[in-house]
Amino acid sequence: MTANDTEPVPAPRVVPTTNGSEKRKERGVTFRVLVYVVVAHLMAFYLWLLFAVVGKR
């Protein structure tokens, strides 16, 4: 072996370090979607009620 020859360097190993944070993020996204759906339905109900009351006149 000569001085210019080098040994191949192994690729760094990826170690998962989530510690459950992915589950927490999933719960956060699920909660946010649930809140958005509920708020959207409440807004739609309010508009429907508004038009129903005004339409009676």
Side-chain angles (χ1 to χ4, degrees), residues 33-47:
V33 167
L34 181 65
V35 168
Y36 289 159
V37 167
V38 168
V39 168
H41 280 86
L42 287 175
M43 287 174 55
F45 175 72
Y46 174 73
L47 288 174

Side-chain angles (χ1 to χ4, degrees):
M1 226 162 145
T2 64
N4 291 337
D5 292 336
T6 58
E7 294 182 22
V9 178
R13 201 176 114 185
V14 177
V15 179
T17 58
T18 58
N19 298 333
S21 65
E22 289 297 319
K23 289 289 184 187
R24 192 175 68 210
K25 288 179 185 177
E26 273 185 36
R27 279 195 307 249
V29 169
T30 303
F31 177 73
R32 193 175 304 133
V33 167
L34 181 65
V35 168
Y36 289 159
V37 167
V38 168
V39 168
H41 280 86
L42 287 175
M43 287 174 55
F45 175 72
Y46 174 73
L47 288 174
W48 174 81
L49 190 63
L50 188 69
F51 281 106
V53 168
V54 171
K56 297 270 185 194
R57 291 183 180 186

